[in-house]
Protein backbone atom coordinates (compact mmCIF):
# COMPACT_ATOMS: atom_id res chain seq x y z
CA UNK A 1 0.00 0.00 0.00
CA UNK A 2 1.37 3.44 -0.95
CA UNK A 3 2.57 5.61 1.92
CA UNK A 4 0.21 8.61 2.41
CA UNK A 5 3.11 11.07 2.34
CA UNK A 6 4.38 9.70 -0.98
CA UNK A 7 0.85 9.82 -2.37
CA UNK A 8 0.39 13.46 -1.38
CA UNK A 9 3.74 14.46 -2.90
CA UNK A 10 2.94 12.60 -6.15
CA UNK A 11 -0.49 14.17 -6.28
CA UNK A 12 0.77 17.73 -5.87
CA UNK A 13 3.58 17.21 -8.38
CA UNK A 14 0.99 16.11 -10.93
CA UNK A 15 -1.65 18.73 -10.16
CA UNK A 16 0.28 21.90 -9.27
CA UNK A 17 1.53 22.72 -12.82
CA UNK A 18 -2.05 22.66 -14.13
CA UNK A 19 -3.26 24.74 -11.20
CA UNK A 20 -0.50 27.27 -11.83
CA UNK A 21 -1.52 27.65 -15.48
CA UNK A 22 -5.15 28.04 -14.44
CA UNK A 23 -4.22 30.68 -11.86
CA UNK A 24 -2.16 32.67 -14.35
CA UNK A 25 -4.90 32.48 -16.96
CA UNK A 26 -7.51 33.84 -14.54
CA UNK A 27 -5.07 36.41 -13.18
CA UNK A 28 -4.47 37.76 -16.67
CA UNK A 29 -7.95 39.19 -16.74
CA UNK A 30 -7.34 40.88 -13.40
CA UNK A 31 -4.22 42.89 -14.20
CA UNK A 32 -1.48 40.23 -14.17
CA UNK A 33 1.55 40.74 -16.41
CA UNK A 34 0.50 39.30 -19.80
CA UNK A 35 4.06 38.20 -20.59
CA UNK A 36 4.15 36.00 -17.47
CA UNK A 37 0.80 34.44 -18.39
CA UNK A 38 1.94 33.73 -21.93
CA UNK A 39 5.36 32.39 -20.98
CA UNK A 40 3.83 29.92 -18.52
CA UNK A 41 1.76 28.44 -21.37
CA UNK A 42 4.58 28.42 -23.92
CA UNK A 43 3.61 31.58 -25.83
CA UNK A 44 5.79 34.60 -26.67
CA UNK A 45 4.69 38.22 -26.95
CA UNK A 46 6.04 40.67 -29.56
CA UNK A 47 5.11 43.94 -31.23
CA UNK A 48 4.38 43.62 -34.97
CA UNK A 49 6.36 46.09 -37.04
CA UNK A 50 9.45 47.98 -35.99
CA UNK A 51 7.92 51.14 -34.52
CA UNK A 52 4.77 49.99 -32.69
CA UNK A 53 4.24 50.13 -28.93
CA UNK A 54 2.36 47.54 -26.90
CA UNK A 55 -1.30 48.41 -26.25
CA UNK A 56 -3.64 47.89 -23.32
CA UNK A 57 -4.54 44.21 -23.37
CA UNK A 58 -5.81 41.24 -21.38
CA UNK A 59 -4.91 37.66 -22.22
CA UNK A 60 -5.68 34.11 -21.14
CA UNK A 61 -3.37 31.38 -22.38
CA UNK A 62 -3.04 27.61 -22.27
CA UNK A 63 -0.70 25.36 -24.28
CA UNK A 64 -3.35 24.72 -26.95
CA UNK A 65 -5.42 27.92 -26.75
CA UNK A 66 -5.16 31.69 -26.41
CA UNK A 67 -7.75 34.41 -26.03
CA UNK A 68 -7.26 38.12 -25.60
CA UNK A 69 -8.86 41.53 -25.61
CA UNK A 70 -7.09 44.69 -26.72
CA UNK A 71 -7.52 48.43 -27.16
CA UNK A 72 -5.17 49.76 -29.85
CA UNK A 73 -4.41 53.47 -30.17
CA UNK A 74 -2.70 54.52 -33.41
CA UNK A 75 0.89 53.27 -33.57
CA UNK A 76 0.40 50.17 -31.45
CA UNK A 77 0.16 46.44 -31.92
CA UNK A 78 0.68 43.06 -30.30
CA UNK A 79 1.57 39.56 -31.51
CA UNK A 80 1.36 36.29 -29.60
CA UNK A 81 3.38 33.39 -31.00
CA UNK A 82 3.34 29.68 -30.17
CA UNK A 83 6.09 27.51 -31.64
CA UNK A 84 5.72 23.77 -31.99
CA UNK A 85 4.92 21.06 -34.50
CA UNK A 86 1.43 20.32 -35.76
CA UNK A 87 0.58 17.91 -38.55
CA UNK A 88 -2.02 19.75 -40.66
CA UNK A 89 -5.22 17.87 -41.39
CA UNK A 90 -4.54 15.06 -38.92
CA UNK A 91 -7.17 16.08 -36.38
CA UNK A 92 -9.44 18.96 -35.35
CA UNK A 93 -8.98 22.14 -37.41
CA UNK A 94 -7.53 25.47 -36.36
CA UNK A 95 -10.41 27.31 -34.67
CA UNK A 96 -10.52 31.11 -34.95
CA UNK A 97 -12.97 33.53 -33.35
CA UNK A 98 -12.46 37.28 -33.48
CA UNK A 99 -14.13 40.69 -33.54
CA UNK A 100 -13.16 44.34 -33.82
CA UNK A 101 -14.93 47.69 -34.03
CA UNK A 102 -12.81 49.33 -36.76
CA UNK A 103 -10.65 48.60 -39.79
CA UNK A 104 -7.34 50.13 -40.94
CA UNK A 105 -8.04 52.09 -44.16
CA UNK A 106 -4.33 52.90 -44.52
CA UNK A 107 -3.47 49.19 -44.73
CA UNK A 108 -2.20 48.03 -48.11
CA UNK A 109 -3.97 44.71 -47.89
CA UNK A 110 -2.65 43.39 -51.22
CA UNK A 111 0.97 44.42 -50.73
CA UNK A 112 3.68 42.38 -49.02
CA UNK A 113 5.08 44.29 -46.02
CA UNK A 114 2.22 46.79 -46.42
CA UNK A 115 -0.56 44.84 -44.70
CA UNK A 116 -1.75 46.17 -41.34
CA UNK A 117 -4.66 43.93 -40.45
CA UNK A 118 -6.76 44.83 -37.38
CA UNK A 119 -6.68 41.16 -36.32
CA UNK A 120 -5.02 38.16 -37.95
CA UNK A 121 -3.95 34.58 -37.26
CA UNK A 122 -0.98 33.14 -39.16
CA UNK A 123 -0.07 29.47 -39.56
CA UNK A 124 3.63 29.11 -40.36
CA UNK A 125 4.97 26.14 -42.33
CA UNK A 126 8.60 26.72 -41.38
CA UNK A 127 10.04 23.82 -43.38
CA UNK A 128 8.29 24.76 -46.64
CA UNK A 129 9.57 27.13 -49.31
CA UNK A 130 8.90 28.31 -52.84
CA UNK A 131 11.41 28.45 -55.67
CA UNK A 132 12.52 32.09 -55.64
CA UNK A 133 15.50 33.52 -57.46
CA UNK A 134 18.55 34.50 -55.42
CA UNK A 135 18.12 38.10 -56.64
CA UNK A 136 14.57 38.25 -55.27
CA UNK A 137 15.63 36.79 -51.92
CA UNK A 138 18.54 39.25 -51.78
CA UNK A 139 16.24 42.23 -52.36
CA UNK A 140 13.65 40.85 -49.93
CA UNK A 141 16.31 40.64 -47.23
CA UNK A 142 16.83 44.42 -47.30
CA UNK A 143 13.09 45.04 -47.35
CA UNK A 144 12.80 42.88 -44.25
CA UNK A 145 15.60 44.79 -42.52
CA UNK A 146 13.43 47.90 -42.83
CA UNK A 147 9.98 46.36 -42.32
CA UNK A 148 10.79 43.54 -39.90
CA UNK A 149 11.41 39.85 -40.49
CA UNK A 150 8.33 37.61 -40.74
CA UNK A 151 8.64 33.95 -39.67
CA UNK A 152 10.58 31.95 -42.23
CA UNK A 153 8.79 29.44 -44.45
CA UNK A 154 5.36 29.56 -46.08
CA UNK A 155 2.62 31.44 -44.22
CA UNK A 156 -1.18 31.19 -44.34
CA UNK A 157 -2.73 34.38 -42.93
CA UNK A 158 -6.38 34.47 -41.79
CA UNK A 159 -7.27 38.14 -41.48
CA UNK A 160 -9.84 40.77 -40.72
CA UNK A 161 -9.30 42.87 -43.82
CA UNK A 162 -9.62 46.57 -44.48
CA UNK A 163 -9.80 46.99 -48.28
CA UNK A 164 -10.28 43.50 -49.73
CA UNK A 165 -13.62 41.68 -50.29
CA UNK A 166 -14.53 39.07 -47.68
CA UNK A 167 -13.84 35.56 -48.95
CA UNK A 168 -10.78 36.60 -50.94
CA UNK A 169 -7.72 34.37 -51.12
CA UNK A 170 -4.58 35.92 -52.61
CA UNK A 171 -0.81 36.06 -52.29
CA UNK A 172 0.98 39.12 -51.00
CA UNK A 173 4.27 37.37 -51.78
CA UNK A 174 5.48 34.03 -53.08
CA UNK A 175 5.53 32.59 -49.56
CA UNK A 176 2.50 34.29 -48.00
CA UNK A 177 -1.18 33.69 -48.80
CA UNK A 178 -3.99 35.68 -47.17
CA UNK A 179 -7.56 34.52 -46.51
CA UNK A 180 -9.93 37.42 -45.70
CA UNK A 181 -12.56 36.25 -43.20
CA UNK A 182 -14.17 39.60 -42.31
CA UNK A 183 -14.08 43.29 -43.17
CA UNK A 184 -15.86 46.64 -42.96
CA UNK A 185 -19.39 45.20 -42.90
CA UNK A 186 -18.54 42.82 -40.03
CA UNK A 187 -17.34 45.55 -37.64
CA UNK A 188 -18.62 44.86 -34.13
CA UNK A 189 -19.73 41.34 -35.02
CA UNK A 190 -18.29 38.07 -33.77
CA UNK A 191 -16.74 36.09 -36.66
CA UNK A 192 -15.67 32.46 -36.31
CA UNK A 193 -14.02 30.01 -38.68
CA UNK A 194 -12.57 26.50 -38.52
CA UNK A 195 -9.68 25.98 -40.93
CA UNK A 196 -8.25 22.77 -42.33
CA UNK A 197 -4.67 23.93 -42.79
CA UNK A 198 -3.74 21.07 -45.10
CA UNK A 199 -6.58 21.82 -47.51
CA UNK A 200 -5.96 25.58 -47.34
CA UNK A 201 -2.32 24.97 -48.22
CA UNK A 202 -3.42 22.91 -51.22
CA UNK A 203 -5.82 25.67 -52.32
CA UNK A 204 -3.06 28.26 -52.07
CA UNK A 205 -0.10 26.36 -53.57
CA UNK A 206 -1.54 23.48 -55.58
CA UNK A 207 0.09 20.80 -53.43
CA UNK A 208 -0.11 19.42 -49.94
CA UNK A 209 2.52 20.51 -47.40
CA UNK A 210 5.41 18.13 -46.82
CA UNK A 211 6.21 19.37 -43.33
CA UNK A 212 4.34 20.43 -40.19
CA UNK A 213 3.02 23.76 -39.02
CA UNK A 214 5.87 25.11 -36.89
CA UNK A 215 4.27 28.23 -35.39
CA UNK A 216 0.96 30.01 -34.88
CA UNK A 217 1.03 33.82 -34.64
CA UNK A 218 -1.95 35.87 -33.41
CA UNK A 219 -1.67 39.61 -34.16
CA UNK A 220 -3.56 42.88 -33.81
CA UNK A 221 -2.30 46.20 -35.19
CA UNK A 222 -3.32 49.86 -35.51
CA UNK A 223 -1.08 51.98 -37.81
CA UNK A 224 0.03 55.45 -36.69
CA UNK A 225 -1.80 56.99 -39.66
CA UNK A 226 -5.21 55.91 -38.35
CA UNK A 227 -7.50 58.08 -36.22
CA UNK A 228 -8.99 56.83 -32.98
CA UNK A 229 -8.66 53.59 -31.09
CA UNK A 230 -9.49 50.10 -32.28
CA UNK A 231 -10.96 47.62 -29.80
CA UNK A 232 -11.29 43.89 -30.35
CA UNK A 233 -10.90 40.38 -29.14
CA UNK A 234 -9.57 37.10 -30.49
CA UNK A 235 -9.67 33.45 -29.42
CA UNK A 236 -7.72 30.68 -31.12
CA UNK A 237 -7.70 26.94 -30.42
CA UNK A 238 -4.77 25.08 -31.96
CA UNK A 239 -4.81 21.70 -33.70
CA UNK A 240 -3.48 18.86 -31.55
CA UNK A 241 0.30 18.57 -31.38
CA UNK A 242 2.39 15.45 -32.00
Amino acid sequence: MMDKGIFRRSFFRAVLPSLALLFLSVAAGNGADPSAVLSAAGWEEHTPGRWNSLPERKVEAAPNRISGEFVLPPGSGVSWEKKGSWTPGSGPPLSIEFSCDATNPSSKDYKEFGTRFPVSVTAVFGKESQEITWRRRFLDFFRKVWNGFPPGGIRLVYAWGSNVPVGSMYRTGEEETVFILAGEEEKGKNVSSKRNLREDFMAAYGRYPKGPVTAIVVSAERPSKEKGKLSGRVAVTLPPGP
Side-chain angles (χ1 to χ4, degrees):
M1 184 174 181
M2 181 181 292
D3 178 81
K4 291 183 178 179
I6 296 175
F7 175 80
R8 283 195 295 268
R9 288 193 295 272
S10 299
F11 174 80
F12 282 114
R13 277 198 297 268
V15 171
L16 279 178
S18 298
L19 290 177
L21 279 176
L22 177 62
F23 171 78
L24 286 171
S25 176
V26 173
N30 296 310
D33 178 12
S35 61
V37 176
L38 294 160
S39 179
W43 292 80
E44 301 175 5
E45 183 175 75
H46 310 283
T47 52
R50 189 171 296 281
W51 316 112
N52 285 328
S53 60
L54 283 170
E56 176 186 343
R57 63 213 183 279
K58 296 180 181 179
V59 61
E60 297 183 3
N64 69 332
R65 179 177 168 80
I66 190 167
S67 62
E69 300 177 6
F70 45 83
V71 179
L72 306 176
S76 67
V78 62
S79 289
W80 299 314
E81 180 177 2
K82 175 78 172 185
K83 296 176 181 177
S85 180
W86 299 271
T87 302
S90 63
L94 177 72
S95 177
I96 302 169
E97 183 179 310
F98 53 17
S99 66
C100 65
D101 62 4
T103 60
N104 292 326
S106 67
S107 175
K108 300 175 182 178
D109 284 6
Y110 284 115
K111 186 176 181 181
E112 189 176 19
F113 304 116
T115 59
R116 299 292 183 267
F117 297 122
V119 196
S120 64
V121 178
T122 300
V124 181
F125 293 77
K127 297 181 180 180
E128 300 286 345
S129 64
Q130 289 284 87
E131 291 186 6
I132 301 175
T133 65
W134 69 267
R135 183 177 182 275
R136 174 65 183 274
R137 289 201 182 275
F138 179 77
L139 293 174
D140 281 351
F141 173 81
F142 289 99
R143 294 169 67 196
K144 292 172 184 177
V145 168
W146 176 256
N147 293 283
F149 284 83
I154 288 179
R155 301 174 298 281
L156 303 183
V157 181
Y158 302 98
W160 194 296
S162 299
N163 307 303
V164 179
V166 175
S168 297
M169 181 191 78
Y170 60 95
R171 292 190 196 178
T172 55
E174 288 299 315
E175 296 182 329
E176 181 177 85
T177 296
V178 176
F179 297 79
I180 298 295
L181 306 185
E184 181 73 23
E185 294 185 359
E186 285 72 37
K187 289 191 303 185
K189 299 179 182 179
N190 192 61
V191 175
S192 60
S193 181
K194 296 185 183 298
R195 310 300 307 196
N196 184 314
L197 299 178
R198 185 170 184 267
E199 294 302 324
D200 282 349
F201 192 100
M202 165 60 86
Y205 294 97
R207 64 177 178 87
Y208 288 117
K210 299 175 183 178
V213 175
T214 55
I216 300 291
V217 183
V218 181
S219 297
E221 190 171 2
R222 185 70 163 166
S224 58
K225 295 179 181 180
E226 303 298 341
K227 296 180 179 179
K229 296 180 179 180
L230 183 155
S231 299
R233 63 175 297 275
V234 60
V236 179
T237 302
L238 309 184

